[in-house]
Amino acid sequence: VTRALAGAAPDDERRLPPEVVFAAGLRNHHVSNTAYPIAHQTTWKPYRVARERQEDVIADSWRGVSDLCLYAHVPFCEVRCAFCEYTVVGRDESARDREYMRLLLRELELYRDALDLTGATVQGFDIGGGTPGFVDADLVAELVETVRAGWRIAPDVELSIETTPRLAALQPAKLAAYRRCGIERLSMGVQVVDPDLLRALRRTGSSASLNARAVDSARAAGFRSLNLDLMYGFAGQGLESWRATLEHALALEPDHVTLYRMRYKLTRISHQAPSVRLDDVREQAHLAKAILADRGYEATTGKTTWTRAHGTTGTSSYLTRRVRDGMPYLGFGLGAQSFSPTTIAYNDGAAGKNLAPYERSLVERRLPVQDLYDLPLPHVMGKMAAVSFYFGEIDGGAFERRFGLGLADAFPHEVRFVLDRGLMAWAGESLRLTPTGADASNGVIALFFAPSIQRYLVERDPDRAGDMTRARRAALAVAGEREQPVALEAAHA
Ligand SMILES: C[S@@+](CC[C@H](N)C(=O)[O-])C[C@H]1O[C@@H](n2cnc3c(N)ncnc32)[C@H](O)[C@@H]1O
Ligand code: SF4
């Protein structure tokens, strides 16, 4: 434990009692989730690296890495959905997609030169967004070819890309082109089907018939690994509306279904969060579990992706490696995040969500990093553990390989607490949520956060009116912007 806390700022030296943290996580169930860290402006302040030292610290932190994942971010979309937490640019910038994809290639090249990763193997590669399906297929193919030419990719990697059902339905030729360049997994967001809710969420141009056409196009193009994203936890989304979404999606017979509970933090509809109660969200999760299991989909308790491709995780190689194995990843593109063994970097655009700073860095041939944090172990462990909860479990073997310390040694009180309360149980080397734990996952996850984040949660009053609005205004001030909502924290998570 002493070793685990080495290099930490005073606020990160002592964990709070598990029962206090657990209760705080549950109270703050809208923010205590896999999006780690929380309130980085204060909690990560001691670890921020000055700009002039960034390149050296990055180069040091990647030295000796033998396996990694790559992620390329494409920030363009046809519409800007009101619920979206991702780094997406406005319509006026969307016309610059070709130019942007060129910059992405330059960034890949800069990293190849800056990092000594000779001999390292890429174990996962996702193209996400935003909506990569927005840009022409030749640009995507060029990106894939550049990665293949410059990096050694493990033979079993399933390349994955995201699009929207609307684009997949209306531009089937793009899907065929993805298959031709070796992309095997396709993911699209159905989200919800209720037309009134879709309108309220400003997800225009979406419909049940387009979803069906999209799936037909994907199958015709030869995709055998097709994922649909569904969302719950919206204000005013009743159980029957959620049931209709699940039934609609399952009638399309996707290979995998990923369930996203709405995270409100710093989105355009953050003010709606207080009206969404944890009990209602739990009921929605139970309904999804019952329906998916009944239709032959499987997922371990608490896992967000369900699959009927038995024996697989249902997630892309990138996500599986990143989530289950805690593998380091390099993110390219606007606002993208990279996680080395000791650092987290956020690219230009994470705060301002505009292309200019990203573009400037690359034109000047600098790594386009906006913020870099050199983290002590409690935060690296907190990050790995938090992300693990996408799978509902922490893989103790992967944890020990990464940190040289067993889970029960790093978190002695916390592990005892979850076992005693029946919140988690050992399944082989993994510490896995039980059904009771899955219902209380916002409390459980907080137990593994670093002390400064735990303290923040304990002190945070979830009922304080305008709390999120204030955080959002602060983020806007930092970005020096007025118009676009700035998901500084979401981008940082
Ligand atoms: C990067 S988005 C890309 C998907 C694609 N652009 C689309 O909309 O179909 C991946 C998924 O994240 C989920 N998502 C977006 N905003 C979210 C939020 N605020 N909270 C939870 N999940 C969210 C949605 O289900 C979405 O499909
Ligand atoms: S949900 Fe998808 S389409 Fe909507 S804004 Fe986010 S990334 Fe774009």
Side-chain angles (χ1 to χ4, degrees), residues 6-27:
D11 255 8
D12 273 321
E13 277 176 0
R14 297 228 344 251
R15 289 191 194 285
L16 302 181
E19 60 278 13
V20 173
V21 174
F22 177 70
L26 278 181
R27 232 179 15 253

PDB file of all heavy atoms in Angstrom, residues 6-27:
ATOM      1  N   ALA A   6       3.035   5.977  -3.442  1.00  0.00           N
ATOM      2  CA  ALA A   6       4.247   6.775  -3.678  1.00  0.00           C
ATOM      3  C   ALA A   6       4.008   7.814  -4.767  1.00  0.00           C
ATOM      4  O   ALA A   6       3.381   7.536  -5.773  1.00  0.00           O
ATOM      5  CB  ALA A   6       5.393   5.853  -4.078  1.00  0.00           C
ATOM      6  N   GLY A   7       4.518   9.020  -4.542  1.00  0.00           N
ATOM      7  CA  GLY A   7       4.425  10.076  -5.557  1.00  0.00           C
ATOM      8  C   GLY A   7       3.092  10.790  -5.559  1.00  0.00           C
ATOM      9  O   GLY A   7       2.854  11.674  -6.376  1.00  0.00           O
ATOM     10  N   ALA A   8       2.214  10.433  -4.644  1.00  0.00           N
ATOM     11  CA  ALA A   8       0.887  11.039  -4.641  1.00  0.00           C
ATOM     12  C   ALA A   8       0.901  12.358  -3.872  1.00  0.00           C
ATOM     13  O   ALA A   8       1.665  12.541  -2.923  1.00  0.00           O
ATOM     14  CB  ALA A   8      -0.107  10.080  -4.006  1.00  0.00           C
ATOM     15  N   ALA A   9       0.039  13.280  -4.283  1.00  0.00           N
ATOM     16  CA  ALA A   9      -0.132  14.534  -3.564  1.00  0.00           C
ATOM     17  C   ALA A   9      -0.839  14.226  -2.241  1.00  0.00           C
ATOM     18  O   ALA A   9      -1.474  13.178  -2.113  1.00  0.00           O
ATOM     19  CB  ALA A   9      -0.975  15.480  -4.410  1.00  0.00           C
ATOM     20  N   PRO A  10      -0.733  15.159  -1.230  1.00  0.00           N
ATOM     21  CA  PRO A  10      -1.320  14.864   0.085  1.00  0.00           C
ATOM     22  C   PRO A  10      -2.774  14.403   0.010  1.00  0.00           C
ATOM     23  O   PRO A  10      -3.173  13.500   0.739  1.00  0.00           O
ATOM     24  CB  PRO A  10      -1.194  16.206   0.831  1.00  0.00           C
ATOM     25  CG  PRO A  10      -0.061  16.898   0.145  1.00  0.00           C
ATOM     26  CD  PRO A  10      -0.019  16.433  -1.271  1.00  0.00           C
ATOM     27  N   ASP A  11      -3.533  14.994  -0.901  1.00  0.00           N
ATOM     28  CA  ASP A  11      -4.947  14.631  -1.018  1.00  0.00           C
ATOM     29  C   ASP A  11      -5.165  13.202  -1.495  1.00  0.00           C
ATOM     30  O   ASP A  11      -6.273  12.693  -1.458  1.00  0.00           O
ATOM     31  CB  ASP A  11      -5.622  15.559  -2.032  1.00  0.00           C
ATOM     32  CG  ASP A  11      -6.480  16.569  -1.336  1.00  0.00           C
ATOM     33  OD1 ASP A  11      -6.410  16.625  -0.097  1.00  0.00           O
ATOM     34  OD2 ASP A  11      -7.221  17.288  -2.034  1.00  0.00           O
ATOM     35  N   ASP A  12      -4.099  12.594  -2.017  1.00  0.00           N
ATOM     36  CA  ASP A  12      -4.230  11.246  -2.549  1.00  0.00           C
ATOM     37  C   ASP A  12      -3.556  10.211  -1.666  1.00  0.00           C
ATOM     38  O   ASP A  12      -3.377   9.068  -2.065  1.00  0.00           O
ATOM     39  CB  ASP A  12      -3.639  11.188  -3.969  1.00  0.00           C
ATOM     40  CG  ASP A  12      -4.676  11.574  -5.000  1.00  0.00           C
ATOM     41  OD1 ASP A  12      -5.844  11.170  -4.826  1.00  0.00           O
ATOM     42  OD2 ASP A  12      -4.336  12.286  -5.951  1.00  0.00           O
ATOM     43  N   GLU A  13      -3.174  10.640  -0.457  1.00  0.00           N
ATOM     44  CA  GLU A  13      -2.413   9.710   0.370  1.00  0.00           C
ATOM     45  C   GLU A  13      -3.265   8.765   1.187  1.00  0.00           C
ATOM     46  O   GLU A  13      -2.835   7.682   1.520  1.00  0.00           O
ATOM     47  CB  GLU A  13      -1.462  10.490   1.283  1.00  0.00           C
ATOM     48  CG  GLU A  13      -0.194  10.854   0.541  1.00  0.00           C
ATOM     49  CD  GLU A  13       0.729  11.709   1.360  1.00  0.00           C
ATOM     50  OE1 GLU A  13       0.366  12.026   2.513  1.00  0.00           O
ATOM     51  OE2 GLU A  13       1.794  12.080   0.826  1.00  0.00           O
ATOM     52  N   ARG A  14      -4.460   9.195   1.536  1.00  0.00           N
ATOM     53  CA  ARG A  14      -5.263   8.339   2.430  1.00  0.00           C
ATOM     54  C   ARG A  14      -6.651   8.109   1.876  1.00  0.00           C
ATOM     55  O   ARG A  14      -7.378   9.048   1.574  1.00  0.00           O
ATOM     56  CB  ARG A  14      -5.365   8.995   3.815  1.00  0.00           C
ATOM     57  CG  ARG A  14      -4.012   9.122   4.467  1.00  0.00           C
ATOM     58  CD  ARG A  14      -3.913   8.652   5.910  1.00  0.00           C
ATOM     59  NE  ARG A  14      -5.138   8.478   6.639  1.00  0.00           N
ATOM     60  CZ  ARG A  14      -5.520   9.293   7.635  1.00  0.00           C
ATOM     61  NH1 ARG A  14      -4.814  10.337   7.944  1.00  0.00           N
ATOM     62  NH2 ARG A  14      -6.622   9.016   8.302  1.00  0.00           N
ATOM     63  N   ARG A  15      -6.980   6.840   1.733  1.00  0.00           N
ATOM     64  CA  ARG A  15      -8.331   6.505   1.288  1.00  0.00           C
ATOM     65  C   ARG A  15      -9.309   6.741   2.420  1.00  0.00           C
ATOM     66  O   ARG A  15      -8.968   6.599   3.598  1.00  0.00           O
ATOM     67  CB  ARG A  15      -8.418   5.031   0.898  1.00  0.00           C
ATOM     68  CG  ARG A  15      -7.699   4.722  -0.365  1.00  0.00           C
ATOM     69  CD  ARG A  15      -8.014   3.339  -0.888  1.00  0.00           C
ATOM     70  NE  ARG A  15      -7.048   2.990  -1.909  1.00  0.00           N
ATOM     71  CZ  ARG A  15      -7.070   3.512  -3.137  1.00  0.00           C
ATOM     72  NH1 ARG A  15      -8.012   4.340  -3.499  1.00  0.00           N
ATOM     73  NH2 ARG A  15      -6.122   3.200  -3.999  1.00  0.00           N
ATOM     74  N   LEU A  16     -10.547   7.067   2.062  1.00  0.00           N
ATOM     75  CA  LEU A  16     -11.587   7.276   3.067  1.00  0.00           C
ATOM     76  C   LEU A  16     -12.240   5.928   3.389  1.00  0.00           C
ATOM     77  O   LEU A  16     -12.113   4.982   2.616  1.00  0.00           O
ATOM     78  CB  LEU A  16     -12.617   8.267   2.528  1.00  0.00           C
ATOM     79  CG  LEU A  16     -12.051   9.628   2.122  1.00  0.00           C
ATOM     80  CD1 LEU A  16     -13.150  10.545   1.630  1.00  0.00           C
ATOM     81  CD2 LEU A  16     -11.322  10.275   3.285  1.00  0.00           C
ATOM     82  N   PRO A  17     -12.932   5.843   4.512  1.00  0.00           N
ATOM     83  CA  PRO A  17     -13.553   4.553   4.881  1.00  0.00           C
ATOM     84  C   PRO A  17     -14.505   4.080   3.777  1.00  0.00           C
ATOM     85  O   PRO A  17     -15.286   4.876   3.241  1.00  0.00           O
ATOM     86  CB  PRO A  17     -14.331   4.889   6.159  1.00  0.00           C
ATOM     87  CG  PRO A  17     -13.716   6.143   6.669  1.00  0.00           C
ATOM     88  CD  PRO A  17     -13.174   6.893   5.509  1.00  0.00           C
ATOM     89  N   PRO A  18     -14.456   2.784   3.441  1.00  0.00           N
ATOM     90  CA  PRO A  18     -15.263   2.274   2.337  1.00  0.00           C
ATOM     91  C   PRO A  18     -16.757   2.585   2.452  1.00  0.00           C
ATOM     92  O   PRO A  18     -17.391   2.932   1.461  1.00  0.00           O
ATOM     93  CB  PRO A  18     -15.023   0.762   2.391  1.00  0.00           C
ATOM     94  CG  PRO A  18     -13.734   0.588   3.097  1.00  0.00           C
ATOM     95  CD  PRO A  18     -13.574   1.750   4.013  1.00  0.00           C
ATOM     96  N   GLU A  19     -17.315   2.509   3.663  1.00  0.00           N
ATOM     97  CA  GLU A  19     -18.769   2.720   3.758  1.00  0.00           C
ATOM     98  C   GLU A  19     -19.132   4.162   3.418  1.00  0.00           C
ATOM     99  O   GLU A  19     -20.182   4.434   2.842  1.00  0.00           O
ATOM    100  CB  GLU A  19     -19.330   2.287   5.134  1.00  0.00           C
ATOM    101  CG  GLU A  19     -18.768   2.987   6.360  1.00  0.00           C
ATOM    102  CD  GLU A  19     -17.429   2.390   6.839  1.00  0.00           C
ATOM    103  OE1 GLU A  19     -16.805   1.606   6.091  1.00  0.00           O
ATOM    104  OE2 GLU A  19     -16.998   2.748   7.951  1.00  0.00           O
ATOM    105  N   VAL A  20     -18.212   5.092   3.744  1.00  0.00           N
ATOM    106  CA  VAL A  20     -18.470   6.505   3.459  1.00  0.00           C
ATOM    107  C   VAL A  20     -18.395   6.742   1.934  1.00  0.00           C
ATOM    108  O   VAL A  20     -19.236   7.425   1.338  1.00  0.00           O
ATOM    109  CB  VAL A  20     -17.418   7.393   4.191  1.00  0.00           C
ATOM    110  CG1 VAL A  20     -17.541   8.852   3.789  1.00  0.00           C
ATOM    111  CG2 VAL A  20     -17.550   7.217   5.690  1.00  0.00           C
ATOM    112  N   VAL A  21     -17.401   6.140   1.320  1.00  0.00           N
ATOM    113  CA  VAL A  21     -17.205   6.324  -0.123  1.00  0.00           C
ATOM    114  C   VAL A  21     -18.343   5.658  -0.905  1.00  0.00           C
ATOM    115  O   VAL A  21     -18.881   6.222  -1.864  1.00  0.00           O
ATOM    116  CB  VAL A  21     -15.842   5.733  -0.554  1.00  0.00           C
ATOM    117  CG1 VAL A  21     -15.683   5.785  -2.056  1.00  0.00           C
ATOM    118  CG2 VAL A  21     -14.703   6.484   0.138  1.00  0.00           C
ATOM    119  N   PHE A  22     -18.702   4.468  -0.462  1.00  0.00           N
ATOM    120  CA  PHE A  22     -19.779   3.730  -1.126  1.00  0.00           C
ATOM    121  C   PHE A  22     -21.066   4.569  -1.124  1.00  0.00           C
ATOM    122  O   PHE A  22     -21.728   4.740  -2.154  1.00  0.00           O
ATOM    123  CB  PHE A  22     -19.978   2.399  -0.387  1.00  0.00           C
ATOM    124  CG  PHE A  22     -21.100   1.556  -0.913  1.00  0.00           C
ATOM    125  CD1 PHE A  22     -21.015   0.944  -2.158  1.00  0.00           C
ATOM    126  CD2 PHE A  22     -22.253   1.354  -0.146  1.00  0.00           C
ATOM    127  CE1 PHE A  22     -22.053   0.149  -2.644  1.00  0.00           C
ATOM    128  CE2 PHE A  22     -23.290   0.560  -0.629  1.00  0.00           C
ATOM    129  CZ  PHE A  22     -23.196  -0.041  -1.878  1.00  0.00           C
ATOM    130  N   ALA A  23     -21.394   5.125   0.029  1.00  0.00           N
ATOM    131  CA  ALA A  23     -22.616   5.937   0.144  1.00  0.00           C
ATOM    132  C   ALA A  23     -22.507   7.183  -0.742  1.00  0.00           C
ATOM    133  O   ALA A  23     -23.473   7.582  -1.397  1.00  0.00           O
ATOM    134  CB  ALA A  23     -22.835   6.336   1.604  1.00  0.00           C
ATOM    135  N   ALA A  24     -21.307   7.782  -0.785  1.00  0.00           N
ATOM    136  CA  ALA A  24     -21.132   8.993  -1.603  1.00  0.00           C
ATOM    137  C   ALA A  24     -21.283   8.670  -3.096  1.00  0.00           C
ATOM    138  O   ALA A  24     -21.858   9.448  -3.856  1.00  0.00           O
ATOM    139  CB  ALA A  24     -19.759   9.604  -1.334  1.00  0.00           C
ATOM    140  N   GLY A  25     -20.772   7.508  -3.507  1.00  0.00           N
ATOM    141  CA  GLY A  25     -20.892   7.105  -4.908  1.00  0.00           C
ATOM    142  C   GLY A  25     -22.351   6.913  -5.288  1.00  0.00           C
ATOM    143  O   GLY A  25     -22.797   7.350  -6.352  1.00  0.00           O
ATOM    144  N   LEU A  26     -23.113   6.288  -4.383  1.00  0.00           N
ATOM    145  CA  LEU A  26     -24.539   6.069  -4.659  1.00  0.00           C
ATOM    146  C   LEU A  26     -25.297   7.393  -4.707  1.00  0.00           C
ATOM    147  O   LEU A  26     -26.139   7.610  -5.566  1.00  0.00           O
ATOM    148  CB  LEU A  26     -25.155   5.179  -3.580  1.00  0.00           C
ATOM    149  CG  LEU A  26     -24.943   3.678  -3.752  1.00  0.00           C
ATOM    150  CD1 LEU A  26     -25.638   2.919  -2.629  1.00  0.00           C
ATOM    151  CD2 LEU A  26     -25.471   3.193  -5.101  1.00  0.00           C
ATOM    152  N   ARG A  27     -24.965   8.274  -3.760  1.00  0.00           N
ATOM    153  CA  ARG A  27     -25.625   9.588  -3.723  1.00  0.00           C
ATOM    154  C   ARG A  27     -25.365  10.346  -5.018  1.00  0.00           C
ATOM    155  O   ARG A  27     -26.225  10.986  -5.572  1.00  0.00           O
ATOM    156  CB  ARG A  27     -25.018  10.375  -2.553  1.00  0.00           C
ATOM    157  CG  ARG A  27     -26.009  10.947  -1.623  1.00  0.00           C
ATOM    158  CD  ARG A  27     -25.456  11.709  -0.451  1.00  0.00           C
ATOM    159  NE  ARG A  27     -24.077  12.123  -0.429  1.00  0.00           N
ATOM    160  CZ  ARG A  27     -23.126  11.572   0.333  1.00  0.00           C
ATOM    161  NH1 ARG A  27     -23.424  10.546   1.103  1.00  0.00           N
ATOM    162  NH2 ARG A  27     -21.892  12.029   0.311  1.00  0.00           N
TER     163      ARG A  27
END
